[in-house]
CSV table of all heavy atoms in Angstrom, one decimal:
chain,number,residue,atom,x,y,z
A,55,LEU,N,-15.6,-0.7,38.8
A,55,LEU,CA,-15.2,0.3,37.8
A,55,LEU,C,-16.3,1.2,37.2
A,55,LEU,O,-16.3,1.8,36.2
A,55,LEU,CB,-14.6,-0.4,36.5
A,55,LEU,CG,-13.5,-1.4,36.8
A,55,LEU,CD1,-12.9,-2.0,35.6
A,55,LEU,CD2,-12.4,-0.8,37.7
A,221,GLY,N,9.8,-20.6,23.7
A,221,GLY,CA,9.1,-19.8,24.6
A,221,GLY,C,7.7,-20.5,25.0
A,221,GLY,O,7.5,-21.7,24.7
A,244,TYR,N,7.7,-17.0,3.5
A,244,TYR,CA,9.0,-17.4,4.2
A,244,TYR,C,9.5,-18.7,3.5
A,244,TYR,O,10.8,-18.8,3.1
A,244,TYR,CB,8.9,-17.7,5.7
A,244,TYR,CG,10.2,-18.3,6.3
A,244,TYR,CD1,11.3,-17.5,6.5
A,244,TYR,CD2,10.2,-19.6,6.6
A,244,TYR,CE1,12.4,-18.0,7.0
A,244,TYR,CE2,11.4,-20.2,7.2
A,244,TYR,CZ,12.5,-19.4,7.4
A,244,TYR,OH,13.6,-19.9,8.0
Side-chain angles (χ1 to χ4, degrees):
Chain A
L55 309 187
Y244 174 73

